Amino acid sequence: MGATVVKIALSGYYGFDNSGDEAVLQSILFALQEQGREQGVQIEPIVLSANPEKTSAMYGVKAYHRMKPGSLIRALREADGLISGGGSLLQDATSSKTIPYYLAVLKIAQWLGKPTFIYSQGIGPVSRPMFYGWIRSVFQRCAYVSVRDTESADLLVKMRLPRERITVVPDPVMGLPLRGSVVVGGAPDHAPDGAVRTVGVSVRFWNEDRSELEALSRSLVLLLAANPDVRLRFLPFHLPSDEVASQFVIDRLGDHGSRVEMVRGIAHPQDMLAQVAACDLLIGMRLHSLIYAASQFVPMVGISYDPKIDQFLHRLGMKAAASTARFDADAFAAEAQRLLAGREAWAASSRAATLELKAQAQLPAQRIISFYKQRTNK
């Protein structure tokens, strides 16, 4: 008797050339595949994407357009259930239309009688209280709800969703493997003493006056001046905007330009993960640049523009070294210098917490596969 076949639709911020969200998608696909193998369930994903052709080609999955009602409903009718997540889908900081869209997809699936699952989402900020009731009513009908931090769980409780309905798990990207890797048990090999050291930099635009990027530029000049063996490698996560933000910083590094490079056009999450793994230190604004670094035991210096940055760093017992609101260039450079000098010690001290987060990242996929396994065994 063959494995049970389950078609699952995935809703998220997919197909927008954002490396972090693409990593979320690939991490979920990997976890479903792995847990499916363990439990004898064959998963056939159906991804709702802004670029179905590219998504299908990149991951070898069926994909439908996320904004074309006919395609979206066809995908949900075809599926045996819907996963919403991960990522920061239910927030109204970037747009007031974001929450209604993702809730509508969940609601349509529920109207069609499909089980729905919330997969390691970051909830909030939600500044419009009118959304509270909408989120609660949709989540109450979900078969499983998991969020990526306690702050998200607290916000759902504030919306009057029972705490016992909510599971707190890591971001799914903590479980993303390097290409061809089977077990990741420690820090990757890096250049020997005396060789060039690489500091990865992931930036985005945030403040209108670019004050945070001006301050970061001053910090990087200090870091380069103090360490002749350091090279900077800019890693744009969201194309093309992060390439422009990276160039903004590079243009302010003066005479150090020969020690700086920008990696362009990386779309596949595992290619970006490999770039981060090759760094000796990662300076990051993008959440998933920090998650990539943690998963590969690369020390990180976080710049917070959103509570999700602080929430992730807290899980590793760390704090952001600066924020877009307050950025002390000298203190930031000193923290980067400290972590760069103590890379091996940092990797050793954070190893247990990192491995625990990697293992926990599998939990939502495990629960979802178990749901379908139990269904078929009834």
Side-chain angles (χ1 to χ4, degrees):
M1 188 172 160
T4 302
V5 176
V6 176
K7 295 181 179 181
I8 296 187
L10 289 98
S11 167
Y13 193 71
Y14 307 139
F16 289 96
D17 286 333
N18 184 323
S19 182
D21 288 287
E22 293 304 310
V24 166
L25 173 58
Q26 183 160 49
S27 301
I28 294 174
L29 293 173
F30 272 138
L32 290 171
Q33 212 174 39
E34 189 173 327
Q35 294 302 321
R37 268 197 307 271
E38 287 191 13
Q39 300 188 48
V41 176
Q42 183 182 326
I43 295 296
E44 292 186 3
I46 302 168
V47 179
L48 299 173
S49 170
N51 190 337
E53 296 78 14
K54 189 171 183 178
T55 296
S56 189
M58 191 177 289
Y59 305 111
V61 296
K62 184 177 279 192
Y64 287 95
H65 203 290
R66 74 198 291 275
M67 293 305 290
K68 293 181 179 175
S71 293
L72 193 152
I73 290 169
R74 197 177 316 125
L76 295 177
R77 282 190 189 281
E78 196 177 311
D80 298 304
L82 170 74
I83 288 171
S84 179
S88 305
L89 305 184
L90 296 179
Q91 50 79 25
D92 58 5
T94 54
S95 169
S96 60
K97 297 175 183 175
T98 305
I99 292 174
Y101 169 79
Y102 289 110
L103 290 182
V105 175
L106 281 160
K107 196 74 180 167
I108 293 166
Q110 291 171 353
W111 281 338
L112 292 171
K114 311 292 183 176
T116 51
F117 310 93
I118 306 301
Y119 199 119
S120 186
Q121 283 198 24
I123 312 295
V126 181
S127 60
R128 298 164 177 84
M130 69 176 186
F131 288 141
Y132 282 25
W134 296 5
I135 293 170
R136 181 180 67 251
S137 67
V138 172
F139 275 36
Q140 280 175 332
R141 293 187 61 190
C142 289
Y144 173 71
V145 175
S146 62
V147 295
R148 70 183 178 199
D149 47 62
T150 53
E151 292 85 352
S152 294
D154 291 342
L155 182 53
L156 289 177
V157 170
K158 187 179 175 184
M159 295 177 192
R160 293 193 288 119
L161 192 72
R163 169 72 74 168
E164 60 271 16
R165 293 284 324 277
I166 308 161
T167 305
V168 178
V169 297
D171 188 288
V173 176
M174 280 301 298
L176 183 65
L178 285 166
R179 277 191 209 274
S181 68
V182 181
V183 178
V184 179
D189 292 332
H190 284 259
D193 291 342
V196 169
R197 290 183 293 172
T198 301
V199 174
V201 184
S202 164
V203 293
R204 60 165 297 161
F205 286 128
W206 191 255
N207 293 345
E208 283 188 26
D209 64 359
R210 310 298 183 223
S211 54
E212 79 286 17
L213 297 186
E214 295 277 7
L216 174 62
S217 303
R218 293 195 294 275
S219 298
L220 294 176
V221 167
L222 291 170
L223 187 66
L224 289 166
N227 299 277
D229 62 333
V230 164
R231 286 184 62 86
L232 302 182
R233 179 176 297 156
F234 282 78
L235 303 169
F237 268 63
H238 195 174
L239 305 176
S241 61
D242 286 7
E243 288 186 348
V244 182
S246 296
Q247 194 59 53
F248 180 93
V249 176
I250 291 168
D251 289 344
R252 282 154 180 77
L253 300 180
D255 298 337
H256 300 292
S258 62
R259 294 160 61 194
V260 179
E261 64 178 328
M262 189 190 329
V263 178
R264 295 181 182 272
I266 291 187
H268 199 287
Q270 285 176 299
D271 293 338
M272 185 62 87
L273 183 65
Q275 290 286 340
V276 173
C279 294
D280 295 282
L281 176 74
L282 188 284
I283 292 171
M285 283 181 76
R286 288 284 183 191
L287 171 65
H288 284 100
S289 72
L290 300 172
I291 293 174
Y292 279 12
S295 77
Q296 300 305 311
F297 305 92
V298 173
M300 72 213 74
V301 189
I303 303 166
S304 178
Y305 71 93
D306 184 282
K308 65 187 180 184
I309 303 292
D310 304 291
Q311 290 156 8
F312 173 69
L313 290 171
H314 289 167
R315 296 193 78 158
L316 291 172
M318 300 179 73
K319 290 182 179 178
S323 73
T324 49
R326 295 186 63 179
F327 201 124
D328 181 325
D330 292 312
F332 189 90
E335 177 64 2
Q337 179 68 48
R338 183 185 73 81
L339 283 169
L340 188 61
R343 194 189 82 78
E344 289 78 9
W346 182 90
S349 66
S350 64
R351 185 175 182 275
T354 301
L355 291 175
E356 178 67 15
L357 289 177
K358 282 174 171 285
Q360 290 175 1
Q362 291 281 327
L363 287 175
Q366 198 175 64
R367 285 287 302 273
I368 292 166
I369 301 296
S370 294
F371 174 90
Y372 285 103
K373 183 80 170 173
Q374 288 166 11
R375 250 187 166 194
T376 56
N377 288 342
K378 282 181 181 176

